[in-house]
């Protein structure tokens, strides 16, 4: 019978390329592993592996089974979890990955609302760059990702739901030299280093050709990489203190710092010709 356990044994065997090493990694005996693989081959009626002096490599049939094994194991895992949720009255486990700005602005508020509705659910949260969030969802390392969706746009493997856009604003320390320029011109922003997470091409394409001190364009991905690239936009007031850095953040993120006199808005005057629009995530 083609069982999830036998598929796991096949994956481990091909990964290690040797029955002994695979059995050790699986913490089973080598005869048990050999019996499992022979049973899988007998059930499918084809030879899955070529054996040569202890080393193993997949046949064309083995390659095909390996390509399908990941999806089959994921489906089995999802089915077991769904049954567990039903059997335990929605007592389950949810794994969520947040991008940098969602983690600070709305992620944990959303988790709190979920727990209020389903207090029995256990939750694991992860914070990562928005490209990494997409990779974690694709690999099924997490159940849900909340992040910039540019990396998965148009990919049918993903089901996406746009969230509300949050406008990004510039902040600096009190006494920053840019504040002497009234009104602040948009081009003046690029004379100082920016502190933020990297930004997708949808934002980078609206920036001028000359970025000066603000940051650079990653030629491989077309992302804008700020001069001070942050994994998570936290403790920005402390970063701004004593520097000429301009931080990009949402209004709610910097509200307390502004009221405490630790940060000041440094945004250019509204202009109908301005192309610079920074939305922190969609």
């Amino acid at each position: 019978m083609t069982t999830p356990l036998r598929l796991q044994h096949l994956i481990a065997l091909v990964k290690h390329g040797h029955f002994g090493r695979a059995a050790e990694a699986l913490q089973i005996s080598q005869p048990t592993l050999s019996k499992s693989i022979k049973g899988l081959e007998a059930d499918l009626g084809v030879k899955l592996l070529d054996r040569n002096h202890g080393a193993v490599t997949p046949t064309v049939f083995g390659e095909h089974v390996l390509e399908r094994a990941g999806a089959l194991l994921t489906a089995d895992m999802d089915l077991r979890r769904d049954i567990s949720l039903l059997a335990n009255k929605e007592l389950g486990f949810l794994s969520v990955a947040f991008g940098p700005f969602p983690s600070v602005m709305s992620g944990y508020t959303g988790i709190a609302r979920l727990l209020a509705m389903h207090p029995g659910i256990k939750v694991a949260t992860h914070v990562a760059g928005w490209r990494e969030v997409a990779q974690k969802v694709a690999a099924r390392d997490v159940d849900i990702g909340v992040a910039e969706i540019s990396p998965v746009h148009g990919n049918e493997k993903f089901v996406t739901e746009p969230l509300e856009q949050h406008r990004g604003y510039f902040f600096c320390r009190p006494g920053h030299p840019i504040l002497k320029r009234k009104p602040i011109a948009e081009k003046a922003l690029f004379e100082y280093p920016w502190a933020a997470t990297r930004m997708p091409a949808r934002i980078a394409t609206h920036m001028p050709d000359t970025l000066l001190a603000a940051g650079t364009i990653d030629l491989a991905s077309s992302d804008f990489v700020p001069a001070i690239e942050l994994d998570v936009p936290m403790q920005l007031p402390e970063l701004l203190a004593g520097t000429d850095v301009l931080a990009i953040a949402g209004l709610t993120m910097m509200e307390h710092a502004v009221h405490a006199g630790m940060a000041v808005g440094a945004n250019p005057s509204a202009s109908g010709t301005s192309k610079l629009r920074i939305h922190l995530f969609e």
Side-chain angles (χ1 to χ4, degrees), residues 72-92:
L72 291 171
L73 289 173
T74 297
D76 178 74
M77 180 180 64
D78 289 345
L79 176 61
R80 291 176 184 275
R81 188 180 66 174
D82 290 345
I83 291 175
S84 176
L85 289 173
L86 290 172
N88 294 284
K89 298 180 180 179
E90 296 189 358
L91 297 179

Side-chain angles (χ1 to χ4, degrees), residues 5 17 35-36 41 52 67 76 78 90 94 97 108 116 120-121 148-149 158 162-163 173 191 224 231 240 254 266 273:
L5 182 61
K35 182 180 179 180
S36 175
E41 289 181 321
N52 185 18
E67 290 176 2
D76 178 74
D78 289 345
E90 296 189 358
L94 180 68
Y108 294 106
I121 293 180
E148 166 69 38
I149 63 174
F158 293 84
L163 302 178
R173 63 173 172 85
E191 298 176 15
F224 170 75
D231 288 335
L240 296 178
M254 297 294 287
T273 61

Side-chain angles (χ1 to χ4, degrees), residues 2-65:
T2 305
T3 64
L5 182 61
R6 285 178 171 174
L7 291 175
Q8 290 172 354
H9 289 173
L10 177 65
I11 292 171
L13 183 53
V14 173
K15 175 182 177 181
H16 294 281
H18 189 275
F19 271 91
R21 290 191 294 269
E24 183 179 357
L26 292 166
Q27 297 184 332
I28 60 176
S29 68
Q30 189 168 331
T32 299
L33 176 59
S34 179
K35 182 180 179 180
S36 175
I37 297 301
K38 287 180 179 178
L40 182 59
E41 289 181 321
D43 180 58
L44 295 175
V46 293
K47 185 179 180 182
L48 299 176
L49 300 168
D50 285 325
R51 300 160 175 83
N52 185 18
H53 301 294
V56 294
T57 55
T59 65
V60 63
F61 299 108
E63 292 283 5
H64 183 70
V65 172

Side-chain angles (χ1 to χ4, degrees), residues 3 150 183 206 278:
T3 64
S150 294
H206 296 296
I278 298 176

